[in-house]
Amino acid sequence: MSHTITLEPFGIDFPCHEDDTILEAAFKAGLSLRYGCKHGGCGGCKVQISEGEVDYNDHATAISEEEIDAGVALLCCAYAEEDIVITLDDDYSEEELTPEFPLRVYPAKIAELRRVTHDTVHLILSGEELAEYRFNPGQYLEIKVPGSEDTWRCFSMANTPSAEGITELVVKIIPGGAFSSYLDTEAKPGDSVEIRGPYGQFQISETEAEIIMIAGGSGMAPIMAMLKQLVAEKSTRQISFYFGARAVKDLYFIDEINALGEQLDNFRFIPALSAPDPDDDWQGEHGYITDVLARNTDSLRGAEGYLCGPPPMIDAAIDVLRDKGMFNARIRFDKFVQNS
Ligand SMILES: Cc1cc2nc3c(=O)[nH]c(=O)nc-3n(C[C@H](O)[C@H](O)[C@H](O)COP(=O)(O)OP(=O)(O)OC[C@H]3O[C@@H](n4cnc5c(N)ncnc54)[C@H](O)[C@@H]3O)c2cc1C
Ligand code: FES
């Protein structure tokens, strides 16, 4: 059973199967509606419904009863109960609805998996078809949990599109996590996996503004991809990268970042430890990365922020950036919310 979703004011229709959320159905139709976490927690996919009723799954936390009564819908968790008409915000354009790189499924194999910290794996995938995988650095993919019927997990690409058919991910091992437990205990080079992507709107703007990057944990992945892009473009932008970790044992890719930094004209890397181990020999910054950011910056009016990692870190970092004068519209982020 399927219903028709109409996007006004463009008059664009697409079918929505009863098992798909409206957001999934839009992806399948090759349309790019705005979203963030895809799991009901950020509010990034809210729209106004002008006709029709929707039902919700249990993930829909970022919407209130009052909003539902007023016809607001959270598209990543909403199922059409009948034909739906959505009135998009005035600042949507028809171009935005058609994504630059269409969503596709790619078969791949594990080429390499390397533990970079006690709980983080650098996963390298390869495959002939991956040579065609195009995306903007900062975007993410979904990978199917091996052995599952239809369980997918989100991870950000840590590289730029590769003609050699390589895709790199950085995965935090979560005890009991469906995908990360597989990586921790079973995965080996040569295993087959399935990915689909690209997703997301996290990407570097085409301006010359100063860049402030802030990451925690595996939030490093999309920032690495962005840095590689900036190096490839021979960017002369002023770039500061703040990376927050607890202790020395949680730091990784330090040599890689310094090597990228040497190829950039104006790059500063500021790693900081919030809870170093007693025997850590650490001469760098101490404290939460948001406090370190506040201490190390003056006015950031005119600068752009790129934030990635756990939601509480991002929320705290946004407050600091706003306090320093950064405009909301110049703060871009990907919250690594859990997928399950
Ligand atoms: C846009 C986007 C991009 C992302 N990119 C990355 C990335 O590049 N690297 C990366 O490592 N993660 C990334 N994440 C987060 C990742 O998708 C989730 O943490 C995912 O749930 C991990 O899947 P899993 O199968 O290993 O664990 P799950 O099976 O999903 O989780 C198992 C259990 O762990 C809990 N849990 C889930 N996540 C966490 C957490 N972070 N800390 C503590 N407990 C948790 C859950 O409540 C659940 O009970 C991204 C998320 C989003 C939305
Ligand atoms: S709430 Fe739907 S994308 Fe985050």
Side-chain angles (χ1 to χ4, degrees):
M1 169 106 164
S2 147
H3 298 292
T4 300
I5 314 295
T6 304
L7 302 176
E8 296 294 8
F10 306 107
I12 296 175
D13 288 343
F14 63 93
C16 181
H17 189 269
E18 62 182 351
D19 293 336
D20 287 335
T21 65
I22 297 179
L23 190 66
E24 284 166 345
F27 285 144
K28 286 184 180 171
L31 295 165
S32 174
L33 289 167
R34 289 178 196 161
Y35 63 96
C37 65
K38 290 211 273 120
H39 295 92
C42 73
C45 62
K46 274 183 196 169
V47 294
Q48 185 67 43
I49 290 194
S50 35
E51 277 176 44
E53 289 286 329
V54 297
D55 192 15
Y56 283 105
N57 62 27
D58 296 343
H59 299 299
T61 53
I63 188 159
S64 64
E65 286 300 326
E66 291 74 23
E67 284 177 309
I68 291 174
D69 290 347
V72 174
L74 206 57
L75 292 186
C76 67
C77 302
Y79 298 87
E81 301 228 293
E82 53 189 327
D83 290 351
I84 302 285
V85 179
I86 293 169
T87 303
L88 295 172
D89 287 349
D90 289 347
D91 59 346
Y92 256 106
S93 65
E94 217 162 337
E95 292 78 59
E96 182 183 342
L97 287 172
T98 318
E100 194 177 353
F101 305 112
L103 185 70
R104 228 185 93 181
V105 176
Y106 298 83
K109 287 202 183 299
I110 294 184
E112 200 180 323
L113 65 171
R114 184 169 67 96
R115 212 169 254 271
V116 287
T117 75
H118 59 105
D119 67 353
T120 310
V121 169
H122 181 198
L123 176 63
I124 303 182
L125 306 175
S126 67
E128 236 171 74
E129 291 186 41
L130 285 185
E132 293 158 25
Y133 181 38
R134 288 287 164 271
F135 55 88
N136 285 311
Q139 288 192 288
Y140 66 96
L141 55 72
E142 289 186 326
I143 191 162
K144 190 169 175 191
V145 176
S148 75
E149 205 159 294
D150 199 26
T151 304
W152 298 77
R153 293 291 187 257
C154 305
F155 297 101
S156 307
M157 280 71 80
N159 62 323
T160 50
S162 135
E164 288 75 45
I166 296 290
T167 298
E168 296 180 45
L169 307 176
V170 176
V171 179
K172 183 178 160 140
I173 305 295
I174 297 166
F179 182 75
S180 54
S181 296
Y182 153 76
L183 264 196
D184 196 25
T185 58
E186 285 176 57
K188 56 184 184 322
D191 282 6
S192 295
V193 290
E194 209 176 329
I195 65 161
R196 61 186 182 200
Y199 291 101
Q201 283 132 359
F202 189 50
Q203 65 188 73
I204 296 275
S205 72
E206 286 177 13
T207 68
E208 285 307 311
E210 177 184 354
I211 292 175
I212 306 289
M213 295 166 152
I214 306 159
S218 52
M220 170 81 86
I223 301 291
M224 283 299 276
M226 289 172 165
L227 284 175
K228 289 173 186 173
Q229 175 190 6
L230 289 160
V231 166
E233 292 172 355
K234 298 188 173 25
S235 174
T236 54
R237 293 170 74 168
Q238 190 83 39
I239 304 164
S240 304
F241 175 21
Y242 291 84
F243 180 64
R246 284 173 61 78
V248 166
K249 66 175 187 295
D250 302 308
L251 293 173
Y252 62 103
F253 282 175
I254 302 300
D255 291 345
E256 286 88 339
I257 293 164
N258 286 326
L260 289 169
E262 278 169 21
Q263 300 171 68
L264 290 161
D265 286 351
N266 294 301
F267 179 72
R268 237 171 21 125
F269 178 44
I270 308 106
L273 300 185
S274 60
D277 290 335
D279 55 354
D280 277 353
D281 177 17
W282 178 248
Q283 313 300 327
E285 292 278 354
H286 285 80
Y288 287 120
I289 198 64
T290 43
D291 296 334
V292 175
L293 170 71
R295 280 203 299 272
N296 277 271
T297 47
D298 297 321
S299 168
L300 290 177
R301 194 162 289 274
E304 292 171 353
Y306 296 88
L307 287 52
C308 202
M313 183 211 80
I314 292 189
D315 291 339
I318 290 175
D319 287 346
V320 176
L321 295 177
R322 282 190 188 137
D323 279 354
K324 298 280 178 177
M326 192 178 283
F327 293 112
N328 275 340
R330 293 192 175 158
I331 304 177
R332 300 181 176 199
F333 55 85
D334 242 357
K335 288 187 181 178
F336 279 9
V337 291
Q338 65 195 46
N339 306 164
S340 45

